[in-house]
Amino acid sequence: MTTSENWDDLAAVTALSDGVRRSAYQAVADGGPEPVGRDEVADTLGVGRTLAAFHLDKLVDAGLLEVSYARRTGRSGPGAGRPAKLYRVVPWEHSVSVPPRAYRDAAELLAEAVDRSGADQVLYEVAREQGRREPASDPAAALAERGYSPVAGEDRIELRNCPFHRLAEQFPPLICGMNLALVDGMVAGSGWTARMDPAPGRCCVILCKNKSD
């Protein structure tokens, strides 16, 4: 990461120091891949629409959210009204270290070395062992702490964020397999099973409730 990129990331993270702005970001993040409107954020935060819009646009300026426009009524043509301004979390991450460190570069080099050497099974074994060192009696809570942004249903937990997103884009089979092994180790014995279920806008791993439970 160059110095200028590090300062850009620092500016983005600093934008979240305001409590209302941080809550606005979380409200949009909770929407997953679906864009969220100003009124929804205002209702979630219990603030006025103008204040919600102010903080949302500040998050856009900081590079944390992106904007799209759509008519949410489903109508089109004359009389359909103006398209609503919608917000969604950007698909890339921000990380900061002061002074700058190159941990991400090291991770990319290590992933490429494992990929080239064919040591993927060793990586999966290590990941599963690491997961078992962090047993999760409450999988949703444990995965939330690791940054997966889980959304729990009755018999399914979807993970809206992949903590390894950038590496997974570069080395999909390797990193997704590692991710599956790690989560599988974490939830062993909890009544949940980790499975691959790739879909746009979320982690490729989901949890399914064991049928016998």
Side-chain angles (χ1 to χ4, degrees):
M1 180 184 294
T2 66
T3 301
S4 61
E5 288 173 333
N6 195 67
W7 283 113
D8 287 345
D9 284 344
L10 181 60
V13 174
T14 301
L16 295 172
S17 61
D18 180 276
V20 177
R21 197 166 302 163
R22 188 163 58 250
S23 296
Y25 178 84
Q26 188 61 52
V28 176
D30 288 344
E34 296 300 319
V36 177
R38 294 172 170 180
D39 291 338
E40 296 163 79
V41 173
D43 289 344
T44 299
L45 271 58
V47 301
R49 184 177 185 276
T50 301
L51 181 60
F54 170 79
H55 285 293
L56 288 167
D57 289 336
K58 286 294 183 182
L59 291 167
V60 172
D61 293 341
L64 292 165
L65 300 181
E66 60 186 6
V67 172
S68 62
Y69 294 87
R71 289 190 174 91
R72 311 199 82 177
T73 61
R75 299 168 56 196
S76 60
R82 296 175 59 186
K85 189 173 185 178
L86 306 175
Y87 301 83
R88 180 166 43 202
V89 173
V90 296
W92 52 89
E93 74 245 21
H94 295 275
S95 61
V96 177
S97 61
V98 181
R101 305 297 187 196
Y103 302 120
R104 181 183 293 165
D105 293 342
E108 291 173 358
L109 290 170
L110 289 168
E112 185 165 353
V114 171
D115 197 38
R116 286 190 187 185
S117 65
D120 49 339
Q121 292 303 320
V122 176
L123 174 62
Y124 302 158
E125 289 172 13
V126 171
R128 188 170 286 105
E129 289 171 5
Q130 177 63 38
R132 286 174 178 161
R133 295 191 192 107
E134 306 172 24
S137 57
D138 183 346
L143 291 166
E145 288 183 5
R146 273 191 165 267
Y148 282 94
S149 299
V151 179
E154 183 176 343
D155 56 5
R156 176 184 174 102
I157 299 176
E158 291 189 358
L159 309 176
R160 287 184 174 167
N161 182 57
C162 173
F164 314 108
H165 176 70
R166 180 162 176 169
L167 285 175
E169 285 188 318
Q170 294 178 267
F171 309 95
L174 180 70
I175 301 303
C176 291
M178 179 197 75
N179 191 19
L180 176 64
L182 175 66
V183 176
D184 183 59
M186 290 178 66
V187 303
S190 69
W192 294 84
T193 300
R195 295 179 181 170
M196 280 288 192
D197 185 21
R202 63 170 172 81
C203 180
C204 62
V205 176
I206 65 165
L207 298 184
C208 295
K209 190 74 172 176
N210 294 345
K211 296 294 185 182
S212 60
D213 294 324

